Amino acid sequence: MTINKDENHQGSCLCGKIRYKVKGVPKVVAHCHCIDCQKLTGAGHSTGAMFSEKNLKLQGEVGEYKLKSENGSKVTRVFCLTCGSPILGKNSDMQGYVTISLGTFDNSSSFEPEVIIFARNQKPWDVMDKKIAVFMAQPNWHPEEK
Ligand SMILES: [Zn+2]
Ligand SMILES: [Zn+2]
């Protein structure tokens, strides 16, 4: 990844009422094929970059939807109340981190997805990069400090 630790990344929802800025290198960038992400995005997978929550500054009124993940952790999905863009997700298993939807960044070209998770739910029409590490469900690891 060609991102440095002092870099600021900006993004917004579709209508522009939500804007955010997040600093640094993501802990991990992942594609997720879980059923929840398919319903949330309306596509075959979500793609998210995980950042430390303290590095995030978010402006605008967001909605929150809370649910329980397949493995029992508490998930909060944060979205724009006007246009519905899924901005980020939080997981009680990863306290202090947010996973920001990669497509909401103004410029996401320098991010490189590193893993594919919940591949057991992958749809045949959602063809992925063969070079990325694949996990059938949620891998049992936590990304190292970067
Ligand atoms: Zn919006
Ligand atoms: Zn998912």
Side-chain angles (χ1 to χ4, degrees), residues 30-31 113-117 119 129-136 141:
H31 296 296
E114 302 154 82
V115 290
I116 291 168
I117 63 173
D129 188 342
K130 296 263 188 297
K131 299 190 290 292
I132 303 178
V134 175
F135 296 88
M136 281 303 126
W141 53 257

Side-chain angles (χ1 to χ4, degrees), residues 13-17 80 83:
C13 63
L14 175 60
C15 74
K17 286 190 176 169
C80 175
C83 69

Side-chain angles (χ1 to χ4, degrees), residues 87-131:
I87 302 292
L88 60 88
K90 300 180 203 183
N91 191 310
S92 60
D93 275 357
M94 289 298 291
Q95 295 281 354
Y97 291 93
V98 291
T99 299
I100 302 177
S101 305
L102 210 60
T104 64
F105 284 95
D106 294 341
N107 181 359
S108 58
S109 301
S110 50
F111 292 99
E112 283 168 30
E114 302 154 82
V115 290
I116 291 168
I117 63 173
F118 286 101
R120 66 182 180 211
N121 301 120
Q122 184 177 355
K123 298 292 182 275
W125 44 262
D126 195 26
V127 178
M128 305 298 286
D129 188 342
K130 296 263 188 297
K131 299 190 290 292

Side-chain angles (χ1 to χ4, degrees), residues 46-63:
S46 68
T47 305
M50 188 187 284
F51 285 91
S52 187
E53 191 168 11
K54 63 176 165 30
N55 290 352
L56 175 71
K57 286 197 181 73
L58 192 134
Q59 291 178 323
E61 200 188 348
V62 294

